[in-house]
Amino acid sequence: IVSEPRLRIVGGRHPVVEPTLVETRFTPNDTALGGEAGSVAILTGPNMGGKSTFLRQVALITILAQSGSFVPAEEAEIGIAARIFCRAGASDNRAEGQSTFMVEMAETANILHHVTPHSLVLLDEIGRGTATFDGLAIAWAVVEHLQQLEGGAPRTLFATHYHELTELAVLLSGVVNLRMAVREWGERVVFTHRVEIGASDRSYGIHVARLAGVP
């Protein structure tokens, strides 16, 4: 545990998902956020590729480390996170007349109003509940807001299917691209669940629909 706002995990694993696997082995992944590694990571890649699992894995390792527990990793250097913010999943609040998208935006607004340079931020598919260009504009602006935060950008993992956001790694300092690796053989797609440096240009939604049995 260190006081600087950085995060380095070697061979990190998800402590809940891994024990449930029977026929496959869990794929460990490294994480580097803060300092020269860049504080804001745009994570692209296929549906079913493991983006959401990776985000939650980083959060759980951070929580376990700060509570004094062993962590599921070969090595971990955890900068103290004052708060962990997470915006993931889809739900509505019908009792208060809030749509799924409204709930998503309210939670995102709460994060942006309370985040500090010592926060850990995990964002999964921000902007997906509205028109494509509206959603892209919102997601783009959220990344810009976090990168330009007074005092420094918080450690952020931003999973998205808006591949246009990968341009921000070129336009803004401290923003980097990560992707979930995929291997293709003809029409077959194999999800390796491995996090790599770089940007993905496809989400393989058609392949996942076929796997699900969509005619």
Side-chain angles (χ1 to χ4, degrees), residues 1 3 8 25 30 32-33 37 50 53 63 70 77 86 89 98 117 119-120 123 137-138 147 151 175-176 195 205 215:
I1 298 289
S3 58
R8 186 179 68 87
R25 296 180 59 188
D30 299 343
L33 291 172
T53 298
I63 292 170
F70 289 102
E77 186 177 20
C86 182
Q98 294 183 337
S119 302
L120 174 62
L123 302 173
I138 291 168
Q147 188 269 346
V175 178
V176 297
V195 178

Side-chain angles (χ1 to χ4, degrees), residues 1 60-72 78 80:
I1 298 289
L60 287 171
I61 288 175
T62 301
I63 292 170
L64 288 170
Q66 289 193 193
S67 65
S69 171
F70 289 102
V71 299
I78 310 293
I80 294 173

Side-chain angles (χ1 to χ4, degrees), residues 92-98:
D92 57 22
N93 187 347
R94 296 182 184 180
E96 296 186 12
Q98 294 183 337

